[in-house]
């Protein structure tokens, strides 16, 4: 039994990602969408905190949102996987529930 | 309707500044008629929804905090409040309204609906649901 | 699988209605069912048929109307949220004594029970908001 969490806000202006990571269970996945993708930037002041929250939790970004914001793929945390909308759907169906951190 | 699902309403936003808290409560009240297994979660700024002494006369917006006390009449009796979220905001359980329900399985004894839980317990509650609605 | 979708922010100000639209299309392309999309909070504003965005921009409401028509998706607008925000169908306009209605084709106004029912009847529920 696992959960897909979605986060759509930048962690630099909002605590949704931090709160989400503190409530994840092993085997869960977090998908960053919309402004949430800024949470996957390597070398940011929050990168270490994000990384620390990822033990047994998989982190994904929505590719279209990353590209739209001009974030170079090389600037994304190494452990992050990139998915399209189809991949988003697969994440929804492969986890037991989806929780949006609005 | 034979199937019963576990519904969790997650409240992470403060009241009045935005409409989410009020419209979340409206879903809970309507949803009660569907006789599902309903829980409410209050964490982050959502804990501010339950504070005592709200007086909205000065802002011209309806005070809906009393409605939480009526939830027991709708068989909504599980209001989980995260302790860490209270702590971070300088609140304790004493700052929250007393919200109770009458337990029909225990000779209608009056019991508290609010259950203060740890962040780890809140994560477990979230992970045991069928449907999570976020407000 | 049956996937229910909630849109809880208005068009253009937030990306929610766009992300939801792309998600629903992808879900259908992947062979899943999306029987209903429920519009709540400011999300009800997606249903106005009076929106006139600049020609070089996406037309969010038209996109949803076309998708609903094409794929038979039930687009439900919460009545309580809609009335607060001035969105009325013909029946409601008449009942409330208003001189106009503004709900676009493909959307219907109904109660919050439709949201709960969607949660009960679908395998997954995905929310898009802010």
């Amino acid at each position: 039994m696992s959960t897909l969490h979605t986060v759509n806000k930048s962690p630099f202006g909002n605590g949704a990602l931090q709160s989400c990571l503190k409530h994840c269970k092993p085997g869960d996945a977090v998908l960053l969408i919309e402004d949430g993708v800024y949470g996957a930037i390597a070398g940011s002041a929050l990168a270490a905190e994000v990384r620390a929250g990822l033990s047994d939790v998989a982190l994904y970004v929505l590719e279209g949102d990353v590209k739209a914001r001009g974030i170079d793929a090389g600037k994304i945390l190494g452990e992050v996987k990139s998915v399209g909308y189809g991949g988003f759907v697969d994440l929804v169906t492969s986890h037991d529930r989806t929780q949006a951190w609005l | 309707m034979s199937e019963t699902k576990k519904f969790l309403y997650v409240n992470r936003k403060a009241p009045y500044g935005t409409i989410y808290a009020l419209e979340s409560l409206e879903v809970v009240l309507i949803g009660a008629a569907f006789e599902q297994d309903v829980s409410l979660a209050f964490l982050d700024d959502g804990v501010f929804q339950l504070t005592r002494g709200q007086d909205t006369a000065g802002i011209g917006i309806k005070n809906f905090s009393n409605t939480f006390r009526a939830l027991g009449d709708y068989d909504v009796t599980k209001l989980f409040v995260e302790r860490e979220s209270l702590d971070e905001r300088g609140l304790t359980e004493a700052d929250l309204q007393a919200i109770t329900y009458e337990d029909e399985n225990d000779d209608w004894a009056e019991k508290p609906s609010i259950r203060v839980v740890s962040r780890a317990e809140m994560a477990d509650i979230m992970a045991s649901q069928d449907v999570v609605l976020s407000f | 699988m049956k996937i229910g979708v909630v849109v809880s922010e208005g068009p253009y100000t937030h990306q929610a209605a766009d992300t939801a639209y792309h998600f629903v299309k992808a879900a259908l392309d992947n062979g899943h069912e999306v029987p209903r999309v429920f519009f709540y909070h400011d999300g009800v504003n997606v249903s106005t048929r009076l929106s006139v965005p600049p020609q070089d921009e996406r037309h969010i409401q038209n996109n949803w109307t076309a998708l609903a028509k094409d794929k038979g998706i039930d687009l439900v607008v919460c009545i309580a949220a809609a009335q607060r925000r001035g969105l009325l169908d013909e029946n409601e306009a008449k009942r409330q004594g208003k001189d106009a209605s503004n709900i676009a084709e493909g959307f219907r106004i109904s109660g919050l029970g439709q949201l709960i029912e969607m949660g009960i009847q679908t395998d997954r529920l995905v929310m898009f908001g802010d």
Side-chain angles (χ1 to χ4, degrees):
Chain A
M1 295 293 276
S2 63
T3 301
L4 171 68
H5 304 264
T6 62
V7 175
N8 73 332
K9 297 196 190 63
S10 165
F12 302 102
N14 182 292
L17 176 59
Q18 288 93 328
S19 188
C20 167
L21 290 173
K22 285 175 192 160
H23 293 88
C24 282
K25 308 282 288 181
D28 284 359
V30 177
L31 171 63
L32 306 178
I33 65 172
E34 304 172 356
D35 286 350
V37 298
Y38 291 119
I41 294 177
S44 80
L46 290 170
E49 190 183 339
V50 172
R51 263 212 169 109
L54 292 180
S55 54
D56 297 321
V57 174
L59 187 62
Y60 296 84
V61 287
L62 196 53
E63 189 182 15
D65 284 321
V66 172
K67 287 191 170 161
R69 287 159 179 81
I71 305 169
D72 190 89
K75 287 207 80 176
I76 298 280
L77 290 170
E79 49 268 76
V80 173
K81 297 178 202 94
S82 184
V83 294
Y85 290 101
F88 185 173
V89 173
D90 292 341
L91 286 170
V92 166
T93 57
S94 63
H95 291 82
D96 299 287
R97 69 192 71 73
T98 302
Q99 179 168 355
W101 290 77
L102 302 178
Chain B
M1 218 163 307
S2 57
E3 195 186 355
T4 301
K5 283 192 174 181
K6 294 187 76 172
F7 273 70
L8 180 70
Y9 297 88
V10 176
N11 297 284
R12 295 183 51 248
K13 297 183 177 118
Y16 309 119
T18 55
I19 200 169
Y20 304 105
L22 170 64
E23 288 190 333
S24 168
L25 199 49
E26 290 183 344
V27 181
V28 173
L29 294 173
I30 297 289
F34 287 77
E35 298 185 344
Q36 303 295 302
D37 181 358
V38 172
S39 301
L40 274 58
F42 296 87
L43 63 152
D44 298 334
D45 279 352
V47 299
F48 288 129
Q49 293 180 27
L50 298 176
T51 54
R52 290 175 190 275
Q54 295 177 23
D55 175 1
T56 60
I59 58 170
I61 297 177
K62 187 169 82 176
N63 180 351
F64 58 90
S65 65
N66 293 337
T67 310
F68 287 110
R69 294 208 296 273
L71 287 175
D73 300 337
Y74 291 82
D75 288 327
V76 176
T77 60
K78 291 182 282 188
L79 277 61
F80 297 103
V81 179
E82 188 175 279
R83 179 171 294 115
E84 287 84 343
S85 296
L86 290 174
D87 289 347
E88 286 159 7
R89 287 160 183 77
L91 298 175
T92 69
E93 194 171 355
D95 294 307
L96 308 181
Q97 301 190 70
I99 301 172
T100 58
Y101 71 102
E102 293 174 341
D103 189 349
E104 59 179 316
N105 299 317
D106 190 8
D107 198 23
W108 305 100
E110 194 164 277
K111 297 186 176 176
S113 297
I114 289 183
R115 304 173 207 187
V116 177
V117 298
S118 70
R119 186 165 275 153
E121 287 170 319
M122 186 62 90
D124 288 339
I125 290 161
M126 289 171 168
S128 68
Q129 304 297 321
D130 295 311
V131 179
V132 181
L133 294 163
S134 307
F135 296 98
Chain C
M1 266 192 187
K2 281 188 185 162
I3 304 174
V5 171
V6 180
V7 176
S8 61
E9 288 298 341
Y12 303 106
T13 304
H14 289 97
Q15 204 187 333
D18 296 287
T19 307
Y21 174 74
H22 295 301
F23 175 85
V24 169
K25 283 215 308 191
L28 297 168
D29 287 345
N30 287 10
H32 299 291
E33 281 178 67
V34 181
R36 177 176 297 161
V37 178
F38 191 86
F39 295 85
Y40 197 44
H41 301 312
D42 277 0
V44 298
N45 289 307
V46 172
S47 70
T48 177
R49 64 181 168 79
L50 301 179
S51 159
V52 189
Q55 292 235 321
D56 61 345
E57 274 184 34
R58 78 250 189 248
H59 195 305
I60 295 177
Q61 170 263 308
N62 279 1
N63 285 348
W64 279 104
T65 294
L67 192 64
K69 227 180 192 175
D70 202 27
K71 308 287 185 182
I73 303 169
D74 187 20
L75 304 181
V76 179
V77 181
C78 169
I79 186 162
Q83 287 185 336
R84 278 195 184 106
R85 295 163 178 86
L87 287 141
L88 302 167
D89 63 10
E90 245 174 80
N91 282 339
E92 263 322 290
K94 227 176 262 172
R95 216 169 64 86
Q96 305 287 347
K98 300 289 183 186
D99 61 3
S101 63
N102 55 351
I103 296 296
E105 193 187 346
F107 293 83
R108 69 183 176 94
I109 288 197
S110 190
L112 277 168
Q114 303 277 307
L115 167 60
I116 308 299
E117 186 186 86
M118 179 171 80
I120 295 169
Q121 293 177 351
T122 56
D123 303 301
R124 298 286 185 277
L125 190 133
V126 187
M127 293 190 78
F128 297 90
D130 190 55

